[in-house]
Amino acid sequence: MRSRAKSRSLGTVLLATLLAACGLGEEQAIRQAFEEYKQSILDQDGERAASLVTQNTLDYYDEMRDLAVEAGPEQILDRRLTDRLAVATYRLTLDLESLRQMTPRALFAFAVDEGLIGSRSDVAGLELGTITLSGDTATANAVSDGQEAPLEWEFRREGDQWRLDLEALLAVVNLVLQNLARESGVSENQLIYQTLEARTGQRVTGEVWARP
């Protein structure tokens, strides 16, 4: 009896150790994926960055491309601020035919190459804090310049690779931009126009929402 109890106890310890080791391995893989993504943004290596984000993220870019190519104000102006900013950005930085032919992956890569997804100064000090695993998904506290930031990074395991789910961050980015517009005393669309005028040097008006 005592021998069986010792065997069960040893088995429990070994199982717990194995599970802990697996968890540490997954955390290491997630941190590596984040560091590779961060470096790809710093290097403005769009192709590399596109290989490190989820299909969910690329699906979002596909949807925004379709809006930029086909939609008019009746479809666009009901969308959240981040969506409108994306549509206006693509219309001002790409000709219609090039945009129409781009795959979601190519569009994401273009956005990284052109510095449209996070500036170097924005991402240079970013790190991951505590990681919480849940099957094939994970979240990690964001740390910026050593201080915890009020947002979380989300990851999904697709196949045998952990990838960043950037679509999940858009709600947070949207709130930040809404607050910026409110604090600046301008409408959300005015904030979009001002942002794109500063980026492109072009005068931007409500005509950007017109159907192509």
Side-chain angles (χ1 to χ4, degrees), residues 47-140:
E47 188 61 32
R48 178 60 178 151
S51 72
L52 296 165
V53 298
T54 60
Q55 184 60 48
N56 191 43
T57 300
L58 297 179
D59 288 344
Y60 172 77
Y61 276 78
D62 191 30
E63 183 183 6
M64 293 303 102
R65 182 205 57 193
D66 288 347
L67 285 173
V69 168
E70 301 172 355
E74 64 275 14
Q75 289 92 18
I76 299 170
L77 293 178
D78 284 340
R79 303 292 298 233
R80 62 187 175 187
L81 194 162
T82 45
D83 296 351
R84 281 175 276 145
L85 177 59
V87 169
T89 299
Y90 301 149
R91 287 182 170 180
L92 291 171
T93 55
L94 287 161
D95 66 84
L96 185 62
E97 192 55 36
S98 295
L99 185 56
R100 181 178 285 113
Q101 294 180 7
M102 274 186 163
T103 64
R105 184 183 178 110
L107 181 57
F108 184 89
F110 169 82
V112 172
D113 291 340
E114 295 298 314
L116 303 178
I117 300 180
S119 67
R120 294 178 180 180
S121 59
D122 288 337
V123 303
L126 289 177
E127 304 291 342
L128 293 186
T130 302
I131 295 173
T132 302
L133 284 161
S134 179
D136 288 336
T137 63
T139 58

Side-chain angles (χ1 to χ4, degrees), residues 138-152:
T139 58
N141 296 335
V143 176
S144 178
D145 296 322
Q147 301 294 318
E148 190 166 305
L151 60 89
E152 288 185 330

